[in-house]
PDB file of all heavy atoms in Angstrom:
ATOM      1  N   SER A  79      10.700  12.755 -99.652  1.00 98.00           N
ATOM      2  CA  SER A  79       9.402  12.233 -99.230  1.00 98.00           C
ATOM      3  C   SER A  79       8.471  12.175-100.419  1.00 98.00           C
ATOM      4  O   SER A  79       8.781  12.680-101.505  1.00 98.00           O
ATOM      5  CB  SER A  79       8.796  13.130 -98.139  1.00 98.00           C
ATOM      6  OG  SER A  79       7.612  12.538 -97.625  1.00 98.00           O
ATOM      7  N   ASN A  85       2.386  18.891-100.479  1.00 98.00           N
ATOM      8  CA  ASN A  85       1.123  19.338-101.090  1.00 98.00           C
ATOM      9  C   ASN A  85       0.114  19.816-100.046  1.00 98.00           C
ATOM     10  O   ASN A  85      -0.655  20.748-100.288  1.00 98.00           O
ATOM     11  CB  ASN A  85       0.490  18.198-101.901  1.00 98.00           C
ATOM     12  CG  ASN A  85       1.227  17.915-103.198  1.00 98.00           C
ATOM     13  OD1 ASN A  85       2.042  18.712-103.638  1.00 98.00           O
ATOM     14  ND2 ASN A  85       0.932  16.775-103.793  1.00 98.00           N
ATOM     15  N   ASN A 105      16.756  11.308 -93.071  1.00 98.00           N
ATOM     16  CA  ASN A 105      15.678  12.144 -92.535  1.00 98.00           C
ATOM     17  C   ASN A 105      16.100  13.616 -92.554  1.00 98.00           C
ATOM     18  O   ASN A 105      17.276  13.921 -92.754  1.00 98.00           O
ATOM     19  CB  ASN A 105      15.380  11.739 -91.081  1.00 98.00           C
ATOM     20  CG  ASN A 105      14.560  10.467 -90.994  1.00 98.00           C
ATOM     21  OD1 ASN A 105      13.740  10.197 -91.873  1.00 98.00           O
ATOM     22  ND2 ASN A 105      14.755   9.699 -89.939  1.00 98.00           N
ATOM     23  N   LEU A 111      18.170  22.218 -90.231  1.00 98.00           N
ATOM     24  CA  LEU A 111      16.950  22.878 -89.754  1.00 98.00           C
ATOM     25  C   LEU A 111      17.310  24.044 -88.838  1.00 98.00           C
ATOM     26  O   LEU A 111      16.784  25.159 -88.993  1.00 98.00           O
ATOM     27  CB  LEU A 111      16.060  21.860 -89.012  1.00 98.00           C
ATOM     28  CG  LEU A 111      14.802  22.413 -88.347  1.00 98.00           C
ATOM     29  CD1 LEU A 111      13.856  23.044 -89.376  1.00 98.00           C
ATOM     30  CD2 LEU A 111      14.060  21.316 -87.571  1.00 98.00           C
ATOM     31  N   ASN A 122      12.056  37.260 -91.024  1.00 89.00           N
ATOM     32  CA  ASN A 122      10.642  37.164 -90.663  1.00 89.00           C
ATOM     33  C   ASN A 122       9.898  36.108 -91.484  1.00 89.00           C
ATOM     34  O   ASN A 122       8.764  36.325 -91.915  1.00 89.00           O
ATOM     35  CB  ASN A 122       9.965  38.532 -90.815  1.00 89.00           C
ATOM     36  CG  ASN A 122       8.997  38.796 -89.669  1.00 89.00           C
ATOM     37  OD1 ASN A 122       8.899  37.993 -88.740  1.00 89.00           O
ATOM     38  ND2 ASN A 122       8.273  39.902 -89.738  1.00 89.00           N
ATOM     39  N   HIS A 132       9.384  10.364 -91.103  1.00 98.00           N
ATOM     40  CA  HIS A 132      10.192   9.234 -90.601  1.00 98.00           C
ATOM     41  C   HIS A 132      10.495   8.309 -91.777  1.00 98.00           C
ATOM     42  O   HIS A 132       9.824   7.291 -91.979  1.00 98.00           O
ATOM     43  CB  HIS A 132       9.470   8.494 -89.487  1.00 98.00           C
ATOM     44  CG  HIS A 132       9.075   9.363 -88.338  1.00 98.00           C
ATOM     45  ND1 HIS A 132       9.996  10.129 -87.635  1.00 98.00           N
ATOM     46  CD2 HIS A 132       7.877   9.620 -87.768  1.00 98.00           C
ATOM     47  CE1 HIS A 132       9.369  10.793 -86.676  1.00 98.00           C
ATOM     48  NE2 HIS A 132       8.086  10.505 -86.730  1.00 98.00           N
ATOM     49  N   ILE A 155       3.929  18.486 -87.304  1.00 99.00           N
ATOM     50  CA  ILE A 155       3.144  17.331 -87.758  1.00 99.00           C
ATOM     51  C   ILE A 155       4.159  16.276 -88.182  1.00 99.00           C
ATOM     52  O   ILE A 155       4.971  16.529 -89.083  1.00 99.00           O
ATOM     53  CB  ILE A 155       2.258  17.678 -88.968  1.00 99.00           C
ATOM     54  CG1 ILE A 155       1.265  18.802 -88.634  1.00 99.00           C
ATOM     55  CG2 ILE A 155       1.498  16.422 -89.453  1.00 99.00           C
ATOM     56  CD1 ILE A 155       0.519  19.336 -89.866  1.00 99.00           C
ATOM     57  N   GLY A 164       6.752   1.686 -85.185  1.00 98.00           N
ATOM     58  CA  GLY A 164       8.137   2.033 -84.847  1.00 98.00           C
ATOM     59  C   GLY A 164       8.211   2.819 -83.547  1.00 98.00           C
ATOM     60  O   GLY A 164       7.179   3.199 -82.977  1.00 98.00           O
ATOM     61  N   ARG A 165       9.424   3.047 -83.090  1.00 98.00           N
ATOM     62  CA  ARG A 165       9.649   3.801 -81.847  1.00 98.00           C
ATOM     63  C   ARG A 165      10.724   4.863 -82.059  1.00 98.00           C
ATOM     64  O   ARG A 165      11.505   4.782 -83.008  1.00 98.00           O
ATOM     65  CB  ARG A 165      10.136   2.864 -80.728  1.00 98.00           C
ATOM     66  CG  ARG A 165       9.077   1.903 -80.243  1.00 98.00           C
ATOM     67  CD  ARG A 165       9.692   0.864 -79.307  1.00 98.00           C
ATOM     68  NE  ARG A 165       8.704  -0.129 -78.904  1.00 98.00           N
ATOM     69  CZ  ARG A 165       7.952  -0.017 -77.803  1.00 98.00           C
ATOM     70  NH1 ARG A 165       8.098   1.021 -76.995  1.00 98.00           N
ATOM     71  NH2 ARG A 165       7.065  -0.943 -77.510  1.00 98.00           N
ATOM     72  N   SER A 168      14.229   7.295 -77.832  1.00 91.00           N
ATOM     73  CA  SER A 168      13.930   7.292 -76.402  1.00 91.00           C
ATOM     74  C   SER A 168      13.071   6.110 -75.981  1.00 91.00           C
ATOM     75  O   SER A 168      12.855   5.904 -74.785  1.00 91.00           O
ATOM     76  CB  SER A 168      13.210   8.590 -76.045  1.00 91.00           C
ATOM     77  OG  SER A 168      12.053   8.712 -76.865  1.00 91.00           O
ATOM     78  N   MET A 210     -10.295  18.305 -86.470  1.00 98.00           N
ATOM     79  CA  MET A 210     -10.041  17.381 -87.576  1.00 98.00           C
ATOM     80  C   MET A 210     -11.261  16.504 -87.850  1.00 98.00           C
ATOM     81  O   MET A 210     -11.569  16.212 -89.007  1.00 98.00           O
ATOM     82  CB  MET A 210      -8.789  16.537 -87.283  1.00 98.00           C
ATOM     83  CG  MET A 210      -7.508  17.379 -87.296  1.00 98.00           C
ATOM     84  SD  MET A 210      -5.975  16.416 -87.287  1.00 98.00           S
ATOM     85  CE  MET A 210      -5.963  15.772 -85.624  1.00 98.00           C
ATOM     86  N   ALA A 278      24.168 -10.205 -96.295  1.00 98.00           N
ATOM     87  CA  ALA A 278      24.529 -10.690 -97.631  1.00 98.00           C
ATOM     88  C   ALA A 278      25.174  -9.611 -98.496  1.00 98.00           C
ATOM     89  O   ALA A 278      25.890  -9.915 -99.450  1.00 98.00           O
ATOM     90  CB  ALA A 278      23.283 -11.242 -98.321  1.00 98.00           C
ATOM     91  N   ALA A 376      24.539  -7.536-111.078  1.00 97.00           N
ATOM     92  CA  ALA A 376      24.495  -6.201-111.666  1.00 97.00           C
ATOM     93  C   ALA A 376      25.708  -5.369-111.247  1.00 97.00           C
ATOM     94  O   ALA A 376      26.249  -4.603-112.022  1.00 97.00           O
ATOM     95  CB  ALA A 376      23.192  -5.487-111.267  1.00 97.00           C
TER      96      ALA A 376
END
Side-chain angles (χ1 to χ4, degrees):
S79 187
N85 287 345
N105 282 329
L111 175 61
N122 221 4
H132 303 304
I155 300 171
R165 291 171 184 269
S168 56
M210 292 192 289

